[in-house]
Amino acid sequence: MAHLQLGDTAPDFIADSQLGETAFHQWKGDSWAVLFSHPADKTPVCTTEMGRFAQREEEFTKCNVKLVGLSVDTVEEHKAWIPDIEKFAGAEVNYPILDDADKKVSELYGMIHPGEGDTNSVRAGFVVDPEHTIRLILMCPKSTGRNVDEILRVVDALQTADSAGAATGADWKVGDRIIVPPTIPTDEAREQFEDVEEIYPYLRFTTGRKK
């Protein structure tokens, strides 16, 4: 089983899906990606999750993020399940759902947790940046559906931090102030940004507007 960590290169793979063959790195290109697994097709929690991703896909697209799902089921099973998802969610599933019946991708990414009671994939999620670097790893138990709002929020936070050379605080959302990294002295930060508020020498906020 793989033990991937933040900063690792996301392993490449080729897998079939209901939309055809997906060569991960090539398919992703210079976009961000959210690769998320679910335990099995035609199960209740998974249906709500896949539907929610379908409903929110346009928001991910606006952030230059591609979605790709996975379970240890076949393309034929995915195709039989998708109409249920679309009817429940009122949205089309336009992202690929990978066929991982042989568990190659699940094992490559460490998505199989035998301690969870069987050999299905858990609710694993990976945010991968344009350089194929893993920026977020999220693992949820099979009984608990993921918060798609939080995944979108983290993508926004990562992209904001990358572009501003800063960090984001607890519960940060788009429009909130960002945090000046401790490695940048306050005087230097004030030369870079229009407004810097110093709470403590190590905690400084800014809107991120550059001078």
Side-chain angles (χ1 to χ4, degrees):
M1 180 182 294
H3 294 283
L4 297 172
Q5 297 181 344
L6 298 179
D8 287 350
T9 297
D12 197 12
F13 58 81
I14 297 175
D16 200 8
S17 79
Q18 90 281 11
L19 300 179
E21 186 176 84
T22 300
F24 183 53
H25 284 190
Q26 181 181 1
W27 168 83
K28 190 179 78 62
D30 59 1
S31 298
W32 291 68
V34 175
L35 168 63
F36 56 98
S37 62
H38 58 276
D41 292 2
K42 290 201 172 184
T43 52
V45 178
C46 300
T47 300
T48 66
E49 285 196 323
M50 303 301 278
R52 192 61 172 153
F53 276 113
Q55 292 171 343
R56 307 297 293 278
E57 184 175 18
E58 185 176 344
E59 294 172 69
F60 282 101
T61 299
K62 289 179 180 178
C63 295
N64 190 32
V65 178
K66 293 182 177 181
L67 299 175
V68 54
L70 172 152
S71 78
V72 293
D73 294 298
T74 65
V75 166
E76 289 71 26
E77 289 171 306
H78 295 339
K79 288 180 177 178
W81 180 37
I82 286 172
D84 290 350
I85 299 170
E86 295 181 333
K87 182 178 180 180
F88 169 77
E92 293 184 0
V93 176
N94 293 316
Y95 54 83
I97 305 176
L98 304 179
D99 178 332
D100 196 39
D102 59 10
K103 303 180 184 178
K104 286 184 178 178
V105 179
S106 295
E107 292 175 352
L108 189 63
Y109 276 77
M111 296 171 171
I112 304 294
H113 294 185
E116 281 290 294
D118 54 37
T119 56
N120 290 343
S121 49
V122 297
R123 299 186 196 286
F126 299 84
V127 172
V128 183
D129 71 16
E131 286 71 44
H132 309 312
T133 302
I134 295 173
R135 303 294 297 277
L136 172 73
I137 299 174
L138 177 67
M139 299 285 181
C140 290
K142 296 178 182 181
S143 61
T144 305
R146 281 162 286 207
N147 186 326
V148 177
D149 285 336
E150 173 63 3
I151 296 172
L152 266 169
R153 188 194 74 84
V154 172
V155 168
D156 282 330
L158 288 168
Q159 293 179 348
T160 296
D162 286 355
S163 64
T168 56
D171 299 327
W172 180 93
K173 59 185 182 299
V174 174
D176 289 350
R177 295 185 300 172
I178 56 179
I179 293 174
V180 178
T183 54
I184 301 177
T186 299
D187 290 345
E188 183 178 328
R190 287 181 170 141
E191 292 176 0
Q192 294 183 33
F193 301 106
E194 286 186 359
D195 52 345
V196 175
E197 180 187 6
E198 181 178 283
I199 307 300
Y200 305 116
Y202 58 85
L203 177 58
R204 289 82 44 84
F205 289 97
T206 175
T207 59
R209 290 193 297 269
K210 297 290 183 72
K211 285 189 173 180

